[in-house]
Amino acid sequence: MSRRLAAALLAFLACLSAGVLSLATRADEGDQSYLASLISQALSTPATQVRIGRLDGALSSDATLYDLTISDKDGVWLRL
């Protein structure tokens, strides 16, 4: 269980870091969709899939992440 918690924490911190390091202004929907996809791909491994549904808000300070799921071969084990 601690491995899953560590993976979830890592995913959360990576998403926050990506938001802070990305554009300082509000991105349009296409850019945010691309960014969500990019973060999902970066955090996924052959054994674990990370999916981010959507990002909203100014990515530098007011980003909101929607529909985060982390799954493995046994199915989804974290859904935020």
Side-chain angles (χ1 to χ4, degrees):
M1 184 65 171
S2 64
R3 185 175 171 207
R4 288 184 176 182
L5 182 58
L9 181 59
L10 177 64
F12 177 73
L13 291 175
C15 290
L16 284 178
S17 297
V20 169
L21 295 175
S22 50
L23 300 174
T25 60
R26 185 175 298 269
D28 67 11
E29 189 173 316
D31 288 342
Q32 289 185 344
S33 173
Y34 175 75
L35 183 59
S37 175
L38 189 65
I39 295 169
S40 294
Q41 289 174 0
L43 295 175
S44 294
T45 67
T48 305
Q49 293 293 321
V50 177
R51 299 212 189 278
I52 298 172
R54 185 180 75 177
L55 294 170
D56 275 346
L59 299 177
S60 63
S61 63
D62 191 26
T64 303
L65 179 90
Y66 292 95
D67 304 323
L68 171 70
T69 60
I70 300 176
S71 59
D72 59 15
K73 64 181 170 91
D74 297 325
V76 174
W77 53 267
L78 178 66
R79 188 175 310 223
L80 300 174

